[in-house]
Amino acid sequence: IGMCSRLSEQKGIDDFLYAAKIITEKYNDVYFVHAGGIPKKGSKDNFIEQLASSSIGNFIWYGYTNNMIKFWENVDIAVVPSSGSEAFGRVVIEAMAASTPVIATRSGGPDEIIDDNVNGILISMKGRKSLVQNIDRLINNSKERERLGQEGFKKVKMYFSAQSYSNTMQEYYQE
């Protein structure tokens, strides 16, 4: 189960950690991975200090990576649990481009990209129980994971690919 973000409360990392604790207690073969910063003890930022002090089994702080498609291809479920407004869901697009099913909060950008239960799953901000329930559901339903991943890929290809953008710009300038 993967997440990618900067180390910020707005990104919902606390909800991701909550889900990781519940899910890894139930399934000892499930791992949670966060790509982005690695929290360091002794940070002046209280939130980062809290993250550095958290201890959850089967949780990996992956750090920064330049190859997000490879990261998402190695994750079974992408989680975007933002607790604040997101202008655009680049992380959602990247995960969907790798055919990784996405669970995201209704936080602006993701809400405009994902068609709920068609090409991803939308939950309420701070919806910890719903996050856990949906992760659990997808862990136990590989066909649903595959379907959501394939539909997400189709949506990205249709609306967010370089070719799609080029076609839209061409149509715009021909008018």
Side-chain angles (χ1 to χ4, degrees):
I1 316 299
M3 177 182 177
C4 174
S5 72
R6 61 185 160 82
L7 300 178
S8 165
E9 275 186 86
Q10 175 193 354
K11 297 300 181 180
I13 299 171
D14 54 338
D15 293 336
F16 187 64
L17 289 169
Y18 173 84
K21 182 174 179 2
I22 303 296
I23 295 291
T24 58
E25 285 174 359
K26 185 173 181 179
Y27 305 100
N28 62 4
D29 60 340
V30 173
Y31 286 81
F32 280 70
V33 182
H34 179 276
I38 298 175
K40 305 262 191 284
K41 288 192 179 219
S43 172
K44 293 178 183 174
D45 183 310
N46 288 337
F47 179 69
I48 293 175
E49 181 64 29
Q50 285 178 309
L51 295 178
S53 300
S54 64
S55 177
I56 296 171
N58 295 353
F59 190 95
I60 301 164
W61 293 104
Y62 188 76
Y64 292 100
T65 179
N66 291 325
N67 191 342
M68 288 311 301
I69 294 295
K70 185 175 181 182
F71 175 81
W72 291 123
E73 286 174 342
N74 288 291
V75 168
D76 292 322
I77 301 166
V79 176
V80 185
S82 303
S83 59
S85 184
E86 294 285 347
F88 182 75
R90 190 185 87 229
V91 170
V92 172
I93 298 295
E94 289 171 345
M96 290 169 87
S99 298
T100 304
V102 178
I103 300 170
T105 54
R106 295 182 183 279
S107 55
D111 209 1
E112 294 179 23
I113 298 165
I114 295 172
D115 302 307
D116 192 25
N117 288 306
V118 174
N119 53 32
I121 297 170
L122 291 168
I123 61 172
S124 298
M125 284 191 267
K126 291 296 195 182
R128 288 180 167 188
K129 288 183 181 178
S130 180
L131 178 59
V132 170
Q133 289 168 347
N134 280 289
I135 290 171
D136 193 29
R137 177 171 66 106
L138 291 184
I139 286 171
N140 290 299
N141 192 337
S142 61
K143 286 183 181 178
E144 181 69 355
R145 279 196 319 268
E146 187 175 326
R147 184 188 69 76
L148 289 170
Q150 289 173 350
E151 291 301 317
F153 177 79
K154 288 178 191 174
K155 174 113 184 209
V156 168
K157 188 174 179 182
M158 184 176 289
Y159 295 103
F160 300 103
S161 67
Q163 185 64 49
S164 170
Y165 179 77
S166 174
N167 291 344
T168 300
M169 289 291 97
Q170 241 177 352
E171 288 172 16
Y172 175 76
Y173 285 113
Q174 287 175 350
E175 291 177 1

